[in-house]
Amino acid sequence: MAVTPQPPVPGDPPHIPAQRPAAVPLAAPPGAVPSQVVGADGGAGIFAPRPEPIRGGEPKVSYFVRLKLRILRNAMRGKASRIVLFILGIFFGLWAALVGFGAFAGSSVAGDDLRPTLAAFAGAALVLAWVLVPLLFFGVDETLDPARFALLPVPRRTLVLGMLAAAFVGIPPVVTLLAALGSTIGAISKGGIAAGVVAVLGAAVGLAVCVAASRAVTSAFARMLRSRKVRDLAALLIALAGISCNPVFQLVFALVENGESKQATTIAGVLSWTPLAAPFVAYVDAIDGNWHLVAARLAIGVAGVAALLWWWLQTIESAMLGTASTGAAKKAKAVDGKPVRAFLPAILRSLPAGRFTGLVGRELRYWFRDPRRRASLISLLAASVVIPFAFTFGFGTGSSAEEQEAARQSAGFSDGALVFSLLIAGAFVGLVLVNQFGNDGTAYALHMLTNVPGQVELAARAVGVGLLTFPLLAAGTIGVSVLSDHTGQLPAALGVGLCAFGISVGTAGITSVLAPYPMPDSTNPFAMNTGQGSAKSMLSFVSMFVTWILASPLMIAYVFLPDRLQWILLPSGLVWGFALAWLGTRLAGHLLERRAPEVLAAVTPKHG
Amino acid sequence: MTYGRTVTDSGPGPALALRGLTKRFESKVAVAGVDLDVPTGSFFGLLGPNGAGKTTSLSMAVGLLRPDAGRAYVLGHDVWSDPVEAKRRLGALTDSARMFDRLTGSELLAYTGLLRGLPQDVIDARAAELLDVLGLADAGRTLVVDYSAGMKKKIGLACALLHAPRLLVLDEPFEAVDPVSGALIRDILIRYVRNGGTVIFSSHVMEVVERLCTHIAILADGQIKVVGTTDEVKGGRELEDVFVDVVGGRVATGAELSWL
């Protein structure tokens, strides 16, 4: 446990006011509360201490749920805009639930030979999405930060169960449950009410797997990301995981199109015995009447949840202990006589030292030092490498014999896949800037006190992320185009990618000034506040869509230009992207000039 | 352009003048019309209980929080309409705002200096001296986020002093600071005032205010209740008694909390 009450040390009485008879029990039992002092006379005077501190009831799991609900409600109180965004979120969630419901229902009414495979893939995809999406895109809802409970006498079992229960409160879990319930359609129509009940149970256990896995993995990653050595490894792991998803997708597409695939059936068979898919295929066994198999699958799911919770508990404890110990280890010699030179990163030292180089230098240092930004760096890497890889190799390059037809059908798309993927990857990069002021929090006050003009501020931030991402994106594009033998598309792909990147920087700059929101002061770089954040983080979608629309002329040109003229896309993409990045940054700078105090107020965490 | 004391100030007058500053948060009025003159060369203490509006007032005075009404002048320059001139003469230490704490102390000073537009050699010399005097040179490559509370206050003060401002606005400079760091901060501030600088700081520690300040203002419920030189405000009594009187606090009589 993070904090255990210290038993009083004999001969070293705890702090007690002088009026009290200081009769300290010589050998207090471990865990005794220091102030538990028995009056010498047991008297009834006004200062006579009670023999026992009042014992409150045991904390209940339901408290955590009620706390979460209360926080959500308070965040909404009196804020019309937040209510509107929350309702929008509900509609968005309902739409996603409908799509998911359709997918699960579709897999459940498929033919008997296909159903187990599709159900397994659908379930596994859902769990993987719960694990990967928070790592790559949004972060995890940490309205209830475990560190807040460090000083409260909450048994760790109650704590972890309570946190889990609270994690079920929110839009995504409800959406997931609704989607997974789609399988009841097929279960009831094929296997009757009993199979339907199993489907509902399976969906519930499956949801628990999703939530527990998402919590455990983000919490573990958060701990890993605190050490810089592990960061690169973590980035690589996620990138590899993303890339390795592709063969699976490929198989699923082939399966849907061609009916059956031996590989897919085998993989699904294996998945069905892991917590990833087991709860989601239980109803299939119920339709077949294999009731002992049903029990086994549900048990696997429950065991998976238990194992994940155990893992989560380990990382929660380290989160509760905090990071106070990490700083002491760094002991180095005193600063040399040149603070400015030491502050500026090497690539900026040849430039004249001034306000702009200072700002860019601080941005670059922060991308590597701030845990939250490090997590964003992973997203950047994923965007720059995984997305082009996924699109180029995911479609149309099917190697196995069964997929020839699929390969042939998507061949037309494959031509443009690389270019198209760069449109998405480039636009994705800007997302890391959407809440750039929220990430820095109240530290932005320094820039206001020193009169940093809004335009300089925004331009420095754009240059900072550009210095990091531009080489990454270019290298990723060149690498993928060479590896996939699409070098002919390289100019167009680079043009579109860098153009989309430039536009996304511009749109994200504007979004970041118009709709900043505070980030929780948590040790977890994936932490998000549902109350305030998730509604506004929807705006990152808007920013991405706008980027796509603004970059679309280039895509249209790509489709209609003859091959030998496609090189034009590289210079024109660079010019168009740069122009819009400049324009967006100028505009955002103007806005910031007028809105700086409002931005600072918006990113200040609200207490009480 | 000059980098320090020789910046010309527009005539005599208060170093900081607040006129009718008002701020309302949703339904609660945090600051209800604060008027204050901080004379040039004074060591000014702003006293007030928790939630009185000290931080809100000072944030509006230094241009971090937009007032609903009212004006703030630093040596005659309006903080909100002429921020460049006002903020050049102003150094501020905020209690609520974080610093860019993923930098080391030396890096933070260099960064602040670059933002202030100081020449590189001036920054290098001043930063090294400040780190030395404040006892932060030993911290080396430790990030500010890993500093103790006292060290954070000291590096914040160093950042505020780097451009040699004429006016220092400090929000709770002695909050959570150990006695040794507190004494050092006090000595530096005393020397700064002796050399012609002006300090206004907020606090709710009576002893510090009583010992340091030439002028005192007591803020409660978003309004200045009492203001004057230290002797005028005290009127021969203990400052704490005056404070409790003005703020209207209660004293525990003994009948309550009998279960303690």
Side-chain angles (χ1 to χ4, degrees):
Chain A
M1 206 49 206
V3 174
T4 38
Q6 293 294 315
V9 181
D12 180 17
H15 176 73
I16 296 167
Q19 298 96 318
R20 283 195 197 162
V24 184
L26 273 180
V33 182
S35 62
Q36 186 181 345
V37 178
V38 183
D41 55 355
I46 55 167
F47 281 108
R50 302 177 74 101
E52 284 280 323
I54 294 181
R55 285 189 66 81
E58 287 291 310
K60 294 200 189 90
V61 169
S62 64
Y63 293 173
F64 289 82
V65 178
R66 278 158 58 190
L67 178 61
K68 173 91 174 263
L69 283 172
R70 170 67 65 185
I71 292 172
L72 285 177
R73 202 181 326 156
N74 286 358
M76 216 92 66
R77 200 169 53 188
K79 290 272 159 60
S81 57
R82 272 191 207 152
I83 295 173
V84 168
L85 284 168
F86 184 71
I87 292 171
L88 276 180
I90 289 179
F91 275 113
F92 191 73
L94 277 179
W95 174 75
L98 211 61
V99 171
F101 190 88
F104 273 86
S107 74
S108 71
V109 296
D112 282 346
D113 48 343
L114 216 50
R115 188 187 301 124
T117 315
L118 284 177
F121 275 122
L126 199 58
V127 178
L128 282 180
W130 267 86
V131 171
L132 289 178
V133 167
L135 287 182
L136 291 177
F137 300 92
F138 297 112
V140 58
D141 161 29
E142 201 160 274
T143 313
L144 302 185
D145 183 351
R148 303 264 165 88
F149 299 97
L151 289 176
L152 298 175
V154 184
R156 45 194 218 161
R157 232 189 91 231
T158 314
L159 177 70
V160 81
L161 285 178
M163 301 280 295
L164 182 72
F168 282 108
V169 179
I171 296 178
V174 174
V175 168
T176 307
L177 187 65
L178 287 177
L181 285 177
S183 51
T184 52
I185 302 276
I188 293 176
S189 69
K190 295 276 166 60
I193 296 296
V197 171
V198 172
V200 173
L201 272 179
V205 175
L207 175 64
V209 172
C210 286
V211 173
S214 153
R215 282 320 170 100
V217 172
T218 46
S219 180
F221 258 95
R223 190 173 61 160
M224 281 165 67
L225 286 175
R226 273 185 226 142
S227 104
R228 203 180 303 178
K229 280 178 212 153
V230 185
R231 186 195 70 232
D232 312 321
L233 183 68
L236 201 67
L237 276 179
I238 292 191
L240 283 178
I243 293 170
S244 62
C245 282
N246 280 297
V248 180
F249 283 131
Q250 218 173 306
L251 278 175
V252 174
F253 282 126
L255 194 69
V256 172
E257 289 196 353
N258 301 345
E260 208 179 340
S261 149
K262 271 226 164 57
Q263 284 167 290
T265 317
T266 318
I267 294 177
V270 175
L271 282 176
S272 308
W273 288 104
T274 65
L276 283 179
F280 296 101
V281 295
Y283 77 91
V284 178
D285 298 314
I287 294 176
D288 297 342
N290 289 332
W291 291 100
H292 51 282
L293 270 183
V294 170
R297 307 264 196 219
L298 291 179
I300 289 174
V302 172
V305 173
L308 287 165
L309 287 186
W310 178 84
W311 187 28
W312 188 25
L313 190 66
Q314 310 305 310
T315 53
I316 275 190
E317 283 193 357
S318 82
M320 285 168 73
L321 287 173
T323 52
S325 56
T326 54
K330 290 178 225 152
K331 263 277 194 251
K333 64 181 171 62
V335 198
D336 62 3
K338 299 274 176 230
V340 174
R341 207 183 138 71
F343 161 68
L344 288 175
I347 55 165
L348 296 174
R349 280 184 196 151
S350 54
L351 299 172
R355 187 166 58 191
F356 190 74
T357 42
L359 283 163
V360 177
R362 205 267 312 161
E363 278 292 302
L364 288 179
R365 292 234 180 274
Y366 257 57
W367 278 111
F368 290 100
R369 285 189 193 167
D370 187 15
R372 218 186 288 280
R373 293 210 193 190
R374 279 191 214 166
S376 296
L377 265 190
I378 293 179
S379 298
L380 281 186
L381 190 96
S384 308
V385 180
V386 174
I387 296 179
F389 255 98
F391 274 75
T392 316
F393 292 109
F395 300 98
T397 49
S399 50
S400 55
E402 301 109 293
E403 291 151 20
Q404 273 179 347
E405 200 201 343
R408 198 178 48 75
Q409 281 187 348
S410 53
F413 183 67
S414 156
D415 277 348
L418 178 63
V419 179
F420 186 70
S421 73
L422 261 295
L423 176 68
I424 293 178
F428 184 83
V429 173
L431 290 189
V432 302
L433 296 179
V434 158
N435 193 26
Q436 50 186 345
F437 291 101
N439 282 333
D440 287 347
T442 48
Y444 175 61
L446 177 65
H447 293 184
M448 293 172 64
L449 287 172
T450 50
N451 269 313
V452 177
Q455 320 243 344
V456 177
E457 170 93 40
L458 267 296
R461 287 168 182 270
V463 167
V465 77
L467 283 176
L468 282 174
T469 318
F470 203 88
L472 213 58
L473 204 58
T477 311
I478 294 171
V480 172
S481 72
V482 170
L483 285 177
S484 67
D485 208 17
H486 281 106
T487 39
Q489 294 179 20
L490 184 56
L494 268 181
V496 169
L498 297 177
C499 172
F501 165 60
I503 298 174
S504 72
V505 167
T507 53
I510 295 175
T511 316
S512 72
V513 176
L514 285 182
Y517 53 93
M519 301 299 273
D521 227 357
S522 166
T523 48
N524 184 347
F526 298 110
M528 280 278 310
N529 261 338
T530 21
Q532 301 160 341
S534 68
K536 270 186 181 171
S537 67
M538 293 261 174
L539 285 169
S540 58
F541 282 113
V542 177
S543 166
M544 199 154 71
F545 280 124
V546 171
T547 303
W548 284 339
I549 291 167
L550 290 173
S552 58
L554 231 61
M555 279 311 284
I556 294 168
Y558 169 72
V559 172
F560 288 107
L561 273 181
D563 280 355
R564 62 195 165 74
L565 282 181
Q566 282 188 0
W567 61 267
I568 290 179
L569 290 177
L570 180 54
S572 56
L574 280 175
V575 169
W576 181 235
F578 185 81
L580 286 190
W582 183 81
L583 193 70
T585 306
R586 294 287 292 181
L587 205 61
H590 268 299
L591 286 170
L592 183 61
E593 204 63 354
R594 271 182 285 149
R595 280 181 46 88
E598 283 69 31
V599 168
L600 182 66
V603 301
T604 306
K606 309 279 184 296
H607 296 294
Chain B
M1 184 163 164
T2 47
Y3 309 100
R5 291 288 161 81
T6 47
V7 172
T8 51
D9 301 320
S10 43
L16 178 69
L18 309 181
R19 293 287 175 268
L21 281 183
T22 307
K23 186 69 188 178
R24 168 190 287 274
F25 293 119
E26 286 164 26
S27 58
K28 184 176 173 290
V29 177
V31 175
V34 163
D35 292 290
L36 194 64
D37 281 327
V38 178
T40 302
S42 66
F43 206 135
F44 204 105
L46 183 60
L47 276 171
N50 294 327
K54 299 190 295 284
T55 298
T56 309
S57 301
L58 292 184
S59 295
M60 289 191 286
V62 299
L64 291 178
L65 181 69
R66 197 189 298 282
D68 294 337
R71 305 213 151 257
Y73 302 90
V74 173
L75 295 152
H77 299 277
D78 190 317
V79 172
W80 288 95
S81 65
D82 186 14
V84 177
E85 288 304 314
K87 288 175 184 173
R88 184 180 296 162
R89 291 160 173 81
L90 169 74
L93 170 68
T94 54
D95 183 47
S96 52
R98 282 172 50 184
M99 285 171 280
F100 281 103
D101 52 17
R102 301 270 164 191
L103 302 176
T104 68
S106 146
E107 285 171 348
L108 185 59
L109 279 173
Y111 182 51
T112 309
L114 290 174
L115 292 185
R116 290 276 183 196
L118 303 179
Q120 196 169 341
D121 52 336
V122 173
I123 301 173
D124 283 341
R126 287 186 186 175
E129 197 178 347
L130 279 168
L131 287 174
D132 191 40
V133 170
L134 288 166
L136 294 171
D138 297 336
R141 304 285 311 157
T142 307
L143 299 185
V144 172
V145 70
D146 295 325
Y147 276 15
S148 66
M151 290 165 80
K152 279 181 185 160
K153 288 287 183 202
K154 288 196 283 186
I155 194 69
L157 183 65
C159 288
L161 287 169
L162 190 68
H163 63 296
R166 308 295 298 120
L167 168 69
L168 269 183
V169 178
L170 312 171
D171 192 10
E172 302 282 5
F174 300 102
E175 178 92 351
V177 173
D178 65 90
V180 180
S181 300
L184 183 60
I185 293 177
R186 227 169 43 216
D187 289 346
I188 289 173
L189 293 182
I190 289 172
R191 204 159 68 191
Y192 172 80
V193 172
R194 212 170 278 154
N195 289 342
T198 309
V199 173
I200 173 169
F201 73 100
S202 68
S203 183
H204 43 232
V205 185
M206 301 297 148
E207 295 78 19
V208 175
V209 173
E210 201 162 7
R211 186 130 58 107
L212 287 180
C213 293
T214 59
H215 294 68
I216 292 175
I218 297 179
L219 184 68
D221 303 326
Q223 280 176 320
I224 300 283
K225 302 285 187 188
V226 182
V227 61
T229 64
T230 304
D231 290 338
E232 285 170 6
V233 169
K234 283 168 74 180
R237 301 162 65 197
E238 288 293 315
L239 182 59
E240 186 166 336
D241 297 337
V242 176
F243 181 78
V244 172
D245 264 4
V246 169
V247 171
R250 55 172 293 174
V251 183
T253 55
E256 314 93 330
L257 306 181
S258 58
W259 47 269
L260 262 179

